[in-house]
Amino acid sequence: MSIYSLNPVGTTPALGRQLRLRRLLGTDGRMMSVALDQAVPRGVAPRLADIKRTFNRIIATEPDAFTVFKGIAGHLLWDNDITVPLIIKGSTFCVDFHPTYDATVASVHDAIRLGADALAIGISAGSQNQVAMLEMMSATTEEAHKWGMPVICHAYPSGELWGDRKGSTESVVYAARAAAECGTDIVKTWYTGSAAEFKQVVDAVPTPVVAAGGAPAPKPINVLEQAAAVMEAGGVGMTCGRNIWQAEDPAKMVRALKAVVHDGVAPSRAAELLD
């Protein structure tokens, strides 16, 4: 046996990337994060208008991470001593004005300067803008990895070229696999309706897969049931926006989702935390 103890990463960015991913995914490799980046893509809802109060209610329950745009991060964190990992949103679509094109709004170096643990970018697979989106995703991921910054891709098959196949398991598999093929570290994509269908996505993507929380659910229990199905399928977790910050009590919803994602609590039992 060698008497020397070798440093496997030297002084390369590999260590920084590993440490940031470890903070995001924790000791169990799972993640329940909160999306607070929806004012530009979907409009300024009342809870997002009152962003500081909404943030403070949510963050007190310590989700695994939260996502915001770069200009909001300082308003929320400058006088706040929280240690929850920060994800900076680096691109955005808008449902009203450019639904299938993610405009670049933050760089890798913005994320580094702000102390983020990851940069999130999005693609609209199956759109006329797919070529540009793939080029942006690949270039951003390459630059991020040079600096030890993980990349999360919001990989949605939202393009108009899918026709009636948009939202199918086939389309979700394609979008998620495209993100993995381009080197992103975590893929966030649409839930496909059941554990069996979502397992097809997870099985086709060799990187950790997180499900998007989606449109507001009819009942809180439906959000918990979706989270349980994602975990059953082999996903690493959920990222929820509207189903958390529009909930009657956002903090209780975070606790309930954490119980499902991290502790394997049945949705019916986790729902008791909402009372």
Side-chain angles (χ1 to χ4, degrees):
M1 181 179 295
S2 172
I3 63 171
Y4 299 106
S5 177
L6 297 179
N7 180 346
V9 296
T11 58
T12 71
L15 180 59
R17 179 166 162 262
Q18 181 182 14
L19 292 177
R20 289 182 173 98
L21 285 169
R22 191 180 299 165
R23 287 193 287 268
L24 289 171
L25 294 171
T27 57
D28 62 0
R30 299 180 175 186
M31 182 170 75
M32 203 302 293
S33 64
V34 181
L36 292 166
D37 59 334
Q38 295 173 317
V40 176
R42 300 189 179 277
V44 188
R47 290 273 180 88
L48 293 182
D50 190 10
I51 188 64
K52 282 191 174 181
R53 184 169 184 270
T54 298
F55 175 77
N56 287 333
R57 290 176 70 184
I58 289 170
I59 217 67
T61 59
E62 297 187 336
D64 296 310
F66 66 97
T67 304
V68 293
F69 286 105
K70 63 181 181 182
I72 297 298
H75 292 287
L76 302 178
L77 299 177
W78 178 254
D79 57 354
N80 199 322
D81 61 359
I82 66 131
T83 57
V84 175
L86 164 67
I87 301 169
I88 290 294
K89 188 67 179 297
S91 71
T92 184
F93 65 92
C94 175
V95 293
D96 292 324
F97 308 120
H98 48 101
T100 65
Y101 186 88
D102 260 62
T104 300
V105 294
S107 69
V108 172
H109 293 279
D110 289 328
I112 294 170
R113 282 196 299 269
L114 293 171
D117 280 300
L119 177 70
I121 55 175
I123 60 168
S124 175
S127 78
Q128 295 181 9
N129 299 307
Q130 176 170 303
V131 172
M133 295 291 89
L134 292 178
E135 290 175 345
M136 178 274 289
M137 176 171 57
S138 294
T140 300
T141 302
E142 182 71 19
E143 179 68 13
H145 288 174
K146 289 179 182 177
W147 297 94
M149 180 64 64
V151 176
I152 300 171
C153 181
H154 298 192
Y156 304 148
S158 54
E160 68 285 351
L161 301 179
W162 286 110
D164 60 7
R165 293 184 297 155
K166 183 166 70 173
S168 65
T169 299
E170 172 198 5
S171 69
V172 176
V173 166
Y174 177 84
R177 181 58 181 258
E181 295 274 355
C182 291
T184 56
D185 300 286
I186 297 173
V187 176
K188 173 190 170 189
T189 195
W190 289 348
Y191 178 59
T192 47
S194 70
E197 291 294 315
F198 200 70
K199 188 176 187 301
Q200 294 183 45
V201 181
V202 173
D203 288 348
V205 179
T207 57
V209 177
V210 173
K219 298 179 180 179
I221 186 68
N222 300 133
V223 185
L224 303 177
E225 289 170 343
Q226 177 180 330
V230 168
M231 303 314 294
E232 180 184 344
V236 302
M238 286 264 289
T239 296
C240 288
R242 290 166 288 174
N243 280 315
I244 287 178
W245 48 259
Q246 286 186 341
E248 182 177 350
D249 189 324
K252 288 183 178 180
M253 180 56 80
V254 171
R255 291 191 187 97
L257 280 167
K258 285 174 63 178
V260 173
V261 169
H262 286 289
D263 301 323
V265 175
S268 58
R269 291 292 302 277
E272 296 173 3
L273 298 172
L274 300 175
D275 298 332

